[in-house]
Amino acid sequence: MHTIHDLPIKGFIDTSFVDWPGKICAILFFPLCNFRCPYCHNAELVLRPEEIVTIDPKSVFARLDDLRGWIDGVCVTGGEPTLQPKLRRLMEVVREAGFQTKLDTNGSNPDVLRSLLDAGLLDYVAMDVKSCLDEHSYCRITNASESMLSRVRTSIDLLREGRVEYEFRITVVPTYHGPEDIFRLARDLSGAARLRLQNFSPSDRLLDPTLNTIKPYTPETLANLQLRVDELLVASAGPKASRPLPPVH
């Protein structure tokens, strides 16, 4: 398998059964992110990537060679992997080696996403959506500029075209995401294939450690919220699925 040099791989899991629905995959972790979500559980990757040892790409690709016939694909995650200049070449090499590709992204770089889709280099995309789609909510959580929401919306529309299998997902933190906020997002994503709720998990690796005092939703509450979200998405399916999101006001 061809090795790409100078890839800042900060983490590597050679076998995962849970990161890609119905698939076994390896996972590559890349540093840096243009969001600063306080409940981010990969704070070191975002804030202090230089403190994390970079894994030799040669050893990673050699291990992927060994995994042929066992894993289905490779998941590229972060941080925010679309910030990596060699992302497209990485996806090409992975595909050339016979693996499927999955991208985890925050949707902030729709031009990169579109390029990968146009080139047929993606098999699955998991896009993290941070809140319902209004500027106040998005900027409050991501600490990004107001213009970022327009880019996120463009990425959402690209995925809703249905050219590749995808999911939207949101990490729900009671402080930021009440039930009505979650249901509003489901309505904002009218016609989407799925919106998966991920429960907030207190950790000493959070970007904002003060959030460790927050109690996550109970599993029962989360399951009930997911049921309602699924109902809202089903109710919105049909002609709306191909419509773009309304403009930001």
Side-chain angles (χ1 to χ4, degrees):
M1 186 173 179
H2 179 67
T3 299
I4 304 173
H5 301 286
D6 300 322
L7 277 179
I9 301 172
K10 296 295 184 176
F12 175 56
I13 297 175
D14 63 4
T15 306
S16 169
F17 296 88
V18 298
D19 284 84
W20 189 339
K23 305 285 186 183
I24 304 172
C25 68
I27 309 173
L28 305 183
F29 293 84
F30 287 93
L32 305 178
C33 187
N34 45 5
F35 288 176
R36 292 294 182 270
C37 306
Y39 50 84
C40 175
H41 64 278
N42 278 332
E44 288 184 346
L45 275 176
V46 173
L47 299 178
R48 300 176 296 277
E50 70 282 355
E51 297 180 6
I52 304 174
V53 174
T54 299
I55 300 171
D56 181 3
K58 185 177 180 180
S59 68
V60 171
F61 289 114
R63 179 57 180 151
L64 290 176
D65 253 339
D66 294 339
L67 293 169
R68 293 177 194 265
W70 167 241
I71 65 170
D72 301 296
V74 176
C75 172
V76 179
T77 189
E80 176 48 44
T82 62
L83 297 175
Q84 298 300 323
K86 293 186 178 181
L87 176 62
R88 175 167 177 153
R89 181 57 188 147
L90 171 61
M91 294 304 202
E92 290 172 344
V93 168
V94 169
R95 273 294 191 80
E96 290 166 1
F99 297 110
Q100 297 180 53
T101 57
K102 174 178 180 277
L103 174 69
D104 291 348
T105 180
N106 62 23
S108 61
N109 290 304
D111 290 343
V112 173
L113 178 59
R114 182 184 292 107
S115 173
L116 294 172
L117 289 170
D118 289 347
L121 291 173
L122 297 175
D123 294 291
Y124 196 93
V125 178
M127 178 176 161
D128 287 299
V129 185
K130 306 302 181 179
S131 75
C132 43
L133 303 178
D134 68 80
E135 290 175 351
H136 173 75
S137 299
Y138 235 83
C139 292
R140 178 190 177 206
I141 290 175
T142 64
N143 291 290
S145 64
E146 292 181 358
S147 62
M148 185 64 74
L149 180 56
S150 175
R151 295 161 67 177
V152 167
R153 285 169 169 256
T154 298
S155 292
I156 290 171
D157 283 337
L158 282 170
L159 293 179
R160 293 198 310 173
E161 291 175 1
R163 288 192 280 167
V164 67
E165 192 175 359
Y166 70 92
E167 67 178 39
F168 297 117
R169 60 191 185 189
I170 178 172
T171 299
V172 290
V173 187
T175 303
Y176 294 97
H177 309 105
E180 287 307 316
D181 299 309
I182 296 168
F183 301 153
R184 182 180 168 193
L185 174 60
R187 296 185 184 98
D188 288 342
L189 296 175
S190 169
R194 62 187 62 85
L195 170 61
R196 182 161 61 90
L197 307 185
Q198 301 179 140
N199 212 359
F200 164 69
S201 179
S203 164
D204 58 4
R205 298 170 59 199
L206 296 180
L207 194 145
D208 181 359
T210 66
L211 293 181
N212 280 315
T213 60
I214 295 173
K215 291 185 178 180
Y217 286 112
T218 65
E220 180 182 11
T221 298
L222 190 72
N224 288 332
L225 290 171
Q226 185 70 68
L227 284 173
R228 180 56 180 152
V229 163
D230 294 344
E231 290 172 352
L232 290 169
L233 291 181
V234 169
S236 68
K240 291 182 180 179
S242 61
R243 296 178 186 174
L245 291 164
V248 179
H249 296 294

